[in-house]
Amino acid sequence: MSAMIRILSALALGSALALPASAAPTLRAEALVSGDIVTVGDLIDGADGLEGVALFRAPDPGQTGPLPAAAAIAAAKRIGLSGVEAGEVRQIFVTRASREVTQAEIEGAITARAATDYGADVEAIAVTLDGAVAPVHLDAAARGALEVMRFAADPKTGRFDAVLSVAGAGAAASPIRVSGSAVETIEVATPSRPVARGEILSAAEIRADRRPKSQFPDAVAPSEAAGLAAKRPIREGQPLRAGDLMRPQHVDRGSFVTLIYAGSGLSLSLKAKALAAGAAGDVIAVQNVQSKRVVNGVVTGPSEVTVTAAPTAVARR
């Protein structure tokens, strides 16, 4: 009987030796929290059912704060969790997750609001904030849309002040206040090279740039500038206005032209002197070099004026 007891005791001792010892609670080197409270489970592995107990306040959203290991161990001991091992951890870096609102998001929200208020396309609005705006960090649970709560703009200058907020951010979240300019722009034609007076602009030499609409009410659109000539010298990149361009001049005042008489199936050509400049389709006065007679004709091509059986009135210049 005693031998049997000794055998059972040995088996029991062997089984006890085979069972792993319970792991001691240990500190983490880093912790990521989503709310405003840091719990035992955020800082300590193996908390033995105490994971949800609050220990400290969390940093502000988007911020990281160091927590001394000794402070974490002492706080755990106060709530009944002893034997916490730090190992090589001297500080726990606690980071609070956040919803980050960037400058690009703010500019996008202001652009959309300005387009609505101005009655313009979003693509036509140019927004410039006063200085760089640091990212705004809100509680991670704030997943609502960024909204412009207040937008006050000067229609002449485009200067604005705005207040924005994120839906669901809570009363603790401060509103986002920004200022700057939001102007409506239009697409204007600019030459890609210097243009001399009288030179004709081709489509390949015209760029499309955007400029404030209020500053260029008479701007020429890129599609309208091709094929027109410069009335005066134009710098490269200069926004083109209606007064800068004209139809190409086929005839210069004082130049000699071919005068064509056409009518009744007959055509007669002779030399004449232009008494006015003209583009294609203009009616100008020309003087017959031989007879000195002055007649009115239509500019029909380079250095060419045509007189028909029923000439039209003279264009005034």
Side-chain angles (χ1 to χ4, degrees):
M1 185 68 175
S2 58
M4 180 64 70
I5 292 174
R6 287 196 298 271
I7 293 172
L8 291 175
S9 298
L11 290 173
L13 178 61
S15 299
L17 293 174
L19 291 175
S22 298
T26 57
L27 291 182
R28 297 177 178 177
E30 297 178 340
L32 177 65
V33 301
S34 58
D36 57 2
I37 297 297
V38 179
T39 66
V40 174
D42 293 324
L43 305 178
I44 301 171
D45 288 323
D48 195 22
L50 298 174
E51 287 84 358
V53 179
L55 292 182
F56 302 99
R57 287 196 62 82
D60 290 336
Q63 302 298 308
T64 298
L67 175 66
I73 293 173
K77 190 173 183 180
R78 285 195 297 270
I79 57 96
L81 182 62
S82 302
V84 178
E85 296 181 356
E88 297 182 357
V89 177
R90 296 294 176 266
Q91 292 188 107
I92 305 172
F93 291 93
V94 181
T95 300
R96 184 170 174 182
S98 68
R99 153 79 182 277
E100 181 178 328
V101 180
T102 65
Q103 178 168 330
E105 288 181 87
I106 294 171
E107 291 175 344
I110 294 294
T111 299
R113 175 61 180 270
T116 299
D117 285 11
Y118 297 169
D121 293 333
V122 171
E123 294 78 9
I125 303 299
V127 171
T128 304
L129 300 182
D130 291 337
V133 177
V136 178
H137 292 274
L138 304 175
D139 191 276
R143 294 298 175 185
L146 179 63
E147 300 174 348
V148 180
M149 309 306 296
R150 178 179 176 273
F151 182 74
D154 185 328
K156 292 183 178 180
T157 65
R159 291 289 307 170
F160 72 85
D161 291 296
V163 177
L164 304 91
S165 66
V166 171
S174 299
I176 303 170
R177 302 178 185 276
V178 294
S179 61
S181 64
V183 298
E184 182 180 358
T185 66
I186 57 173
E187 199 171 65
V188 302
T190 60
S192 60
R193 63 172 180 85
V195 184
R197 183 185 183 282
E199 280 193 286
I200 299 173
L201 283 165
S202 68
E205 297 171 326
I206 299 171
R207 294 193 300 248
D209 292 332
R210 300 203 74 89
R211 294 289 191 274
K213 182 178 180 180
S214 61
Q215 297 179 18
F216 296 91
D218 57 347
V220 176
S223 60
E224 299 171 345
L228 298 181
K231 280 187 177 181
R232 56 184 67 88
I234 300 173
R235 302 186 310 276
E236 178 183 348
Q238 174 183 328
L240 297 177
R241 301 174 183 267
D244 295 329
L245 302 175
M246 61 183 179
R247 288 181 297 160
Q249 299 292 293
H250 288 327
V251 174
D252 293 325
R253 181 174 181 174
S255 64
F256 291 103
V257 299
T258 299
L259 178 60
I260 301 174
Y261 284 97
S264 303
L266 299 176
S267 178
L268 175 64
S269 301
L270 49 86
K271 188 176 183 180
K273 183 179 181 179
L275 302 181
D282 286 346
V283 178
I284 63 172
V286 297
Q287 184 182 50
N288 188 316
V289 173
Q290 293 181 346
S291 66
K292 306 301 181 183
R293 180 187 174 191
V294 176
V295 295
N296 300 324
V298 179
V299 178
T300 52
S303 299
E304 180 183 277
V305 177
T306 299
V307 176
T308 61
T312 55
V314 176
R316 297 187 180 277
R317 292 186 176 274

